[in-house]
């Protein structure tokens, strides 16, 4: 810390003493929070590193998109069940030049491209139930540039029509209405239009700007017009994207196929090629191959197109709705995936905790800071060195033997480290089953990977023991724990581990007289 602040060590130690840190030598270890408080005393504005840098972030949007090349529009077809979504998609798929070029054997990959006679291309999303569309919407991302709202001419507006309308509006995506099944005798186009207008859709015929096309997915009537309209609207929307730089996209679908784990990715920016490293949600890939909807291997996927990607490194493929980001190298891809796994575990643990447990953890954290400051500042406290009284006021100090009391129950604190997520969960589960009204264990923190220095610090401050499951422990960590008086319980059999915890708990039970 002295070096970082450019202060000579002996001067720094003297100044620490002045600040009220009694008996601090050059080997003392400060927590991130304490170090930050000290640095503030020196006039710095420190930020505590939470490891967030490990994650990959999307690039900022381009400053002047108008100079970028256009990309194909991405279109989602929505509407009430049986109004003809699948039929329309099938018709479009068959009209696709891509499909024709490859004998028409198209595969379902969640999206397909239609190449128009003009050479322009439209990408249609074809994901059942629009699961990906909705989950991406929840994250505030629009994968679709426009929505086609299908209304059957013989059935008019129905509940799911309105539902689709609601989603399109929430996503602020323009819509084109396709009145389908106009070949049917019972078709009533005018009724559809007036029903739509009654639900606030500002259609052209009523003076609005929402285009309406009348089609038959069965006979192909009006389909050329339909495709034309989509292209016209996308020209107006002026959809552009940079074809270079680190690629970004979204997972539309994923599955396990005979050739391995696959995921269809819609590329939004940049270009993906075999050999590229990508991260999607908590998994990563070195792209082994890219395939289009005709099952043909392609050498690149440009913005506005969807490709099936092989080469996922982890046990599971990514999930529909996950954002895909290209990483510069394998190290960054792995680090980002690892960071996200830890993040997710933290969120899961917090999600499973009751409100009371969450508050208790926050208090624990505050108390840990207060306690550490108290230890470092000595009994008299120090000049200008303050910690908010909240943690201290609300929390009784930890007793010397490391056992706290809460509402008459003795609490024993643990930090848990395991090799994989599953084992961490199993360890936490089996420990939390133990205990009684008189004494119970509490897990302050759990995670995968080896014990870190900050785990030892955390354990020292909160008088916790560290449980290590199926991980190697470095000599340095062992020494550090030993010096800090922190117990590491090292096990690879859950039963033995639970036994040791149980023994510790029973030692604390009041003797039966
Ligand atoms: P989805 O549930 O919206 O995907 O609807 P489908 O595409 O499965 O169509 C439902 C039914 O309507 C099927 O029996 C189709 O053959 C029929 N259908 C779809 N489009 C048309 C059309 O333009 N004209 C006629 N007559 N029938 C159609």
């Amino acid at each position: 810390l002295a070096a970082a602040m450019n202060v000579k060590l002996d001067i720094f130690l003297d100044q620490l003493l002045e600040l009220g840190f009694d008996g601090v030598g050059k080997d003392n270890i400060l927590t991130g929070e304490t170090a930050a408080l000290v640095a503030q005393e020196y006039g710095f504005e420190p930020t505590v590193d939470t490891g967030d840098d490990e994650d990959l972030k999307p690039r900022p949007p381009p400053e002047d998109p108008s100079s970028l090349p256009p990309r194909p529009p991405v279109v989602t077809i929505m509407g009430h069940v049986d109004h003809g979504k699948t039929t329309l998609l099938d018709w479009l798929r068959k009209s696709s030049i891509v499909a024709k070029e490859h004998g028409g054997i198209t595969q379902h990959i969640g999206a397909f491209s239609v190449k128009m006679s003009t050479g322009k291309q439209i990408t249609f999303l074809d994901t059942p139930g629009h699961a990906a569309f909705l989950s991406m919407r929840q994250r505030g991302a629009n994968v679709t540039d426009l929505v086609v709202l299908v209304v059957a001419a013989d059935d008019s507006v129905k509940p799911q029509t309105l539902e689709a309308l609601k989603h399109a509006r929430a996503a602020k995506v323009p819509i084109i209405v396709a009145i389908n099944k106009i070949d049917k005798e019972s078709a009533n186009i005018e009724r559809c239009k007036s029903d739509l207008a009654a639900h606030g859709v500002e259609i052209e015929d009523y003076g609005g700007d929402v285009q309406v096309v009348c089609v038959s997915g069965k006979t192909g009537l009006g389909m050329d017009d339909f495709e034309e309209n989509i292209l016209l609207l996308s020209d107006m929307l002026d959809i552009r994207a940079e074809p270079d730089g680190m690629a970004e996209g979204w997972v539309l679908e994923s599955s396990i196929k005979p050739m391995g784990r696959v995921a269809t990715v819609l590329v939004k920016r940049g270009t993906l090629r075999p050999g590229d490293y990508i991260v999607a949600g908590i998994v990563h890939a070195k792209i082994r191959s890219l395939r289009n909807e005709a099952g043909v291997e392609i050498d690149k996927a440009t913005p506005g197109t969807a490709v099936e990607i092989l080469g996922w490194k982890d046990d599971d493929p990514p999930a529909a709705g996950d954002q895909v980001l290209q990483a510069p190298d394998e190290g960054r891809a792995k680090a980002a995936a690892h960071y996200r796994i830890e993040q997710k575990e933290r969120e899961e643990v917090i999600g499973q905790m009751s409100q009371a447990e969450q508050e208790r953890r926050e208090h624990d954290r505050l108390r840990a800071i207060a306690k550490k400051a108290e230890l470092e500042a000595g009994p008299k406290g120090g000049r200008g060195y303050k910690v908010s009284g909240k943690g201290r006021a609300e929390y009784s100090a930890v007793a010397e033997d490391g056992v706290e009391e809460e509402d008459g129950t003795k609490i024993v604190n643990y930090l848990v480290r395991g090799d994989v997520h599953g084992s961490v969960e199993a360890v936490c589960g089996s420990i939390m089953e133990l205990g009684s009204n008189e004494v119970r264990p509490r897990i302050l923190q759990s995670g995968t990977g080896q014990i870190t220095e900050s785990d030892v610090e955390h354990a020292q401050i909160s008088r916790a023991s560290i449980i290590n499951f199926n991980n190697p422990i470095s000599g340095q960590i062992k020494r550090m724990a030993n010096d800090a008086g922190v117990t590491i319980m090292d096990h690879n059999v859950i039963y033995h581990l639970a036994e040791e915890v149980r023994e510790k708990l029973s030692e604390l039970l009041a003797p039966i007289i």
Side-chain angles (χ1 to χ4, degrees):
L1 183 58
M5 298 194 303
N6 206 9
V7 185
K8 278 203 169 141
L9 184 61
D10 44 354
I11 297 176
F12 180 58
L13 289 176
D14 283 349
Q15 284 167 339
L16 276 186
L17 195 64
E18 256 181 57
L19 283 172
F21 287 81
D22 271 338
V24 172
K26 66 178 166 60
D27 292 334
N28 275 68
I29 293 166
L30 304 178
T31 63
E33 275 127 340
T34 309
L37 289 170
V38 173
Q40 271 169 13
E41 285 293 318
Y42 280 80
F44 290 93
E45 284 178 23
T47 47
V48 178
D49 179 6
T50 56
D52 201 34
D53 287 352
E54 298 284 318
D55 200 12
L56 288 174
K57 305 261 175 4
R59 291 180 276 164
E63 274 177 19
D64 178 18
S66 66
S67 62
L68 299 171
R71 67 157 171 83
V74 179
V75 180
T76 305
I77 297 188
M78 301 177 101
H80 196 72
V81 63
D82 278 348
H83 279 197
K85 296 179 293 293
T86 316
T87 309
L88 287 181
L89 282 165
D90 282 349
W91 199 94
L92 291 160
R93 207 192 321 261
K94 283 196 206 97
S95 84
S96 159
I97 292 176
V98 179
K100 281 184 197 140
E101 277 170 1
H102 298 286
I105 313 160
T106 52
Q107 310 201 344
H108 177 87
I109 68 165
F112 61 92
S113 290
V114 174
K115 216 191 244 172
M116 310 290 289
S117 47
T118 56
K120 288 195 175 169
Q121 210 170 309
I122 308 172
T123 299
F124 287 94
L125 297 194
D126 180 13
T127 49
H130 312 293
F133 176 82
L134 292 181
S135 89
M136 286 174 264
R137 271 283 311 130
Q138 280 164 2
R139 296 170 204 198
N142 285 341
V143 278
T144 328
D145 302 304
L146 55 103
V147 164
V148 170
L149 186 63
V150 183
V151 183
D154 60 342
D155 206 21
S156 194
V157 174
K158 285 279 170 272
Q160 285 162 8
T161 320
L162 298 176
E163 186 75 5
L165 199 57
K166 199 176 83 189
H167 289 308
R169 281 179 175 150
K172 296 196 175 64
V173 177
I175 47 177
I176 291 182
V177 174
I179 299 182
N180 187 35
K181 305 196 188 184
I182 56 164
D183 60 292
K184 281 186 128 180
E185 259 183 38
S186 49
N188 188 342
I189 296 172
E190 283 316 309
R191 183 178 149 222
C192 292
K193 288 183 180 174
S194 63
D195 282 354
L196 285 164
H199 284 99
V201 183
E202 297 175 346
I203 55 175
E204 270 179 336
D205 300 30
Y206 288 60
D209 55 7
V210 174
Q211 298 169 43
V212 178
V213 277
C214 297
V215 295
S216 166
K218 197 171 176 185
T219 66
L221 196 68
M223 291 302 280
D224 286 348
D225 255 7
F226 176 48
E227 292 184 354
E228 199 60 35
N229 269 309
I230 293 175
L231 278 179
L232 274 175
L233 181 58
S234 31
D235 276 349
M236 269 161 58
L237 294 174
D238 198 27
I239 304 166
R240 293 166 185 278
E242 54 272 65
D244 40 24
M246 287 286 136
E248 292 168 32
W250 295 89
V251 176
L252 298 176
E253 262 187 19
S254 71
S255 57
I256 298 175
K257 292 191 177 174
M259 67 267 202
R261 294 172 288 266
V262 298
T264 301
V265 172
L266 175 73
V267 182
K268 291 292 302 236
R269 303 165 79 183
T271 300
L272 288 177
R273 295 185 176 80
D276 285 347
Y277 296 100
I278 51 174
V279 177
I282 55 170
V283 300
H284 73 289
K286 177 179 183 185
I287 300 179
R288 193 159 77 231
S289 64
L290 300 167
R291 293 158 186 260
N292 65 13
E293 70 270 17
V296 173
E297 279 197 21
I298 49 176
D299 57 4
K300 61 179 183 185
T302 49
T305 61
V307 273
E308 197 173 57
I309 293 182
L310 277 104
W312 300 97
K313 298 284 180 201
D314 308 77
D315 289 345
D316 295 312
D322 279 344
Q323 187 174 31
V324 176
L325 293 170
Q326 189 183 349
D329 52 55
E330 183 154 33
R332 287 285 288 144
K334 268 190 189 160
H338 184 77
Y339 168 78
R340 290 164 176 206
I341 290 168
E342 285 198 336
Q343 188 81 346
K344 193 169 160 226
E345 281 171 359
R346 270 195 292 274
E347 279 162 14
E348 273 171 11
V349 170
I350 290 172
Q352 284 162 4
M353 282 188 306
S354 63
Q355 181 72 22
E357 184 66 25
Q358 287 184 35
E359 280 168 15
R360 209 161 21 210
R361 270 173 73 116
E362 179 56 16
H363 285 179
D364 277 345
R365 203 180 65 78
L366 286 170
R367 195 213 53 224
I369 298 173
K371 186 76 194 158
K372 177 82 178 170
E374 226 168 89
L375 287 176
E376 287 166 346
K380 287 188 220 81
R383 176 177 67 82
Y385 189 80
K386 291 192 189 74
V387 171
S388 98
K390 197 172 168 226
R392 243 181 292 184
E394 290 184 14
Y395 250 83
S396 59
V398 185
E400 271 316 302
D401 59 358
V403 180
E404 286 174 57
E405 283 222 13
E406 202 175 77
D407 300 333
T409 308
K410 289 178 181 160
I411 308 282
V412 188
N413 288 331
Y414 292 97
L415 303 185
V416 176
R417 279 280 177 187
D419 52 344
V420 291
H421 181 50
S423 62
V424 174
E425 240 175 354
V427 167
C428 292
S430 64
I431 291 174
M432 292 317 287
E433 276 172 10
L434 304 173
S436 65
N437 288 341
E438 282 179 68
V439 53
R440 68 173 183 85
R442 179 200 293 159
I443 295 168
L444 296 179
Q445 194 180 303
S446 64
T448 52
Q450 295 186 23
I451 300 173
T452 64
E453 290 185 6
S454 72
D455 288 342
V456 179
E457 280 175 28
H458 188 171
Q460 183 187 15
I461 296 161
S462 45
R463 305 291 169 105
S465 301
I466 302 179
I467 291 170
N468 181 59
F469 193 79
N470 246 349
N471 271 331
I473 309 172
S474 74
Q476 189 205 347
I477 291 290
K478 280 186 188 156
R479 274 192 301 278
M480 187 177 161
N482 196 27
D483 292 347
V486 169
T487 308
I488 296 181
M489 298 160 60
D490 188 19
H491 286 275
N492 44 27
V493 179
I494 292 195
Y495 173 75
H496 294 155
L497 168 66
E499 272 308 291
E500 195 181 335
V501 173
R502 200 196 314 271
E503 263 170 37
K504 169 78 183 169
L505 298 181
S506 19
E507 276 170 21
L508 296 169
L509 285 176
I512 303 165
I513 301 164

